[in-house]
Amino acid sequence: MELFKSDEEVAIQRESCLLVSATITEVAKILKPGITTLYLDEMAETFIRDNGATPSCKGYHGYPYSICISINEQVVHGFPGEYILKEGDIVSIDTVVYKNGFHGDHAYTFVIGETSKEVLDLVRITKESLYAGIKQAVTNNRTGDIGYAIEKYTNGNHGYGVIRDFVGHGVGREMHEDPQVPNYGKQGTGKKLVENMVLAIEPMITMGTNRIHILDDGWTAVSADKSPAVHFEHNVCVKKGSPIILSDFTPIEAAEKANSNLNSSYY
Ligand code: MF3
Ligand code: CO
């Protein structure tokens, strides 16, 4: 179902989106080699609840944790656990919070310590592709315009794998609302975008294949060729001319740069 929002509702939802940004910022402050991913999940859940919200992922179709942590070839929906983070890991954090009747849902990918130029390029280009997609989130454009922009930026220019099995989506009173927002498509096709639609735009890009495989836990999606994967996601309010990004990478990026265990040399 598509749910149209008033300006007031968008303003309320923005709080949920910014709480996700704040949660990922808290994770960015403590990310380092030697800690378990379960520790990050526990910290994030406490932070979300202390801020008067609930972690939407926990219990969602049986998902057991508050955040998704996807490492290296894991694309999305990775389980936090006893895995110990190490130098060179690519760490994608994706989470959703529910507050005042609205969900916020976004994601950010970090790199711990030294890595290859190829990985840093993948991180930078995936992040840039998100903004290329966001630019298209304006009234009278269609979902295919967003997907086309992301696919052209990542696959067309760089030959990367654009994941097709998972897509962006509307987000609001429900975590997943219409329309679906694929990271591929044809210009001028798909659902028409209207003012105050809130979209989760979320390129999931690999250095290799666009095919995925789900692990035995029933959730964790990995690239079929084990190539590194990156995921960035914003919540975006469709407007005439230029969209409003409701989530905010600014505090996350500041924490990333301040944390000497994280590699921010891709900027
Ligand atoms: N942001 C992800 C999505 O839209 C994660 C949702 S929570 C999970 O699919 F429970 F599905 F992991
Ligand atoms: Co999402």
Side-chain angles (χ1 to χ4, degrees):
M1 206 195 350
E2 249 157 89
L3 301 165
F4 295 97
K5 295 175 183 77
S6 65
D7 287 344
E8 291 71 29
E9 287 174 312
V10 172
I12 295 167
Q13 187 175 3
R14 186 173 216 161
E15 263 193 63
S16 304
C17 303
L18 293 176
L19 179 55
V20 174
S21 310
T23 305
I24 298 176
T25 300
E26 291 305 302
V27 172
K29 287 180 190 166
I30 61 171
L31 267 175
K32 61 176 182 184
I35 59 171
T36 67
T37 52
L38 191 60
Y39 171 72
L40 297 175
D41 182 69
E42 288 165 355
M43 190 282 306
E45 178 169 1
T46 302
F47 184 81
I48 291 166
R49 293 192 191 281
D50 285 352
N51 281 278
T54 51
S56 314
C57 295
K58 201 160 196 169
Y60 177 79
H61 291 283
Y63 186 84
Y65 301 98
S66 296
I67 62 177
C68 301
I69 307 182
S70 306
I71 311 289
N72 299 330
E73 75 277 9
Q74 297 178 355
V75 182
V76 284
H77 300 165
F79 276 16
E82 296 308 321
Y83 178 81
I84 295 172
L85 291 171
K86 61 176 195 318
E87 178 99 1
D89 278 345
I90 303 167
V91 185
S92 300
I93 307 286
D94 183 8
T95 192
V96 190
V97 307
Y98 184 72
K99 189 175 177 175
N100 300 324
F102 288 92
H103 296 273
D105 170 11
H106 80 92
Y108 197 94
T109 296
F110 301 96
V111 175
I112 300 192
E114 290 305 310
T115 187
S116 63
K117 178 178 183 306
E118 286 73 21
V119 166
L120 293 174
D121 284 346
L122 178 70
V123 174
R124 177 175 52 80
I125 287 158
T126 304
K127 196 195 248 187
E128 288 171 355
S129 79
L130 169 59
Y131 291 102
I134 288 172
K135 247 194 227 159
Q136 301 298 320
V138 293
T139 48
N140 294 323
N141 262 2
R142 291 176 181 270
T143 52
D145 293 303
I146 298 174
Y148 174 83
I150 291 170
E151 186 176 36
K152 181 162 172 245
Y153 203 88
T154 52
N155 182 275
N157 292 345
H158 301 281
Y160 292 150
V162 178
I163 302 299
R164 300 170 89 95
D165 295 69
F166 298 99
V167 296
H169 50 92
V171 57
R173 292 193 182 275
E174 304 292 334
M175 189 201 294
H176 295 133
E177 296 179 354
D178 283 342
Q180 292 201 340
V181 186
N183 296 304
Y184 57 90
K186 280 199 175 69
Q187 288 173 299
T189 66
K191 269 269 168 71
K192 196 176 244 187
L193 305 181
V194 301
E195 181 123 3
N196 283 8
M197 249 183 194
V198 176
L199 304 176
I201 301 179
E202 48 176 324
M204 291 152 264
I205 308 294
T206 83
M207 214 186 276
T209 183
N210 63 6
R211 284 178 306 111
I212 57 137
H213 168 76
I214 305 288
L215 298 186
D216 287 342
D217 60 25
W219 280 95
T220 310
V222 300
S223 60
D225 60 359
K226 301 271 197 318
S227 60
V230 171
H231 179 206
F232 283 98
E233 176 177 11
H234 262 313
N235 291 151
V236 178
C237 180
V238 172
K239 288 285 179 190
K240 216 174 285 157
S242 68
I244 299 174
I245 304 178
L246 301 179
S247 37
D248 186 8
F249 283 173
T250 314
I252 301 172
E253 289 170 342
E256 182 184 36
K257 286 176 185 156
N259 181 343
S260 60
N261 296 296
L262 295 179
N263 193 326
S264 55
S265 64
Y266 67 88
Y267 286 102

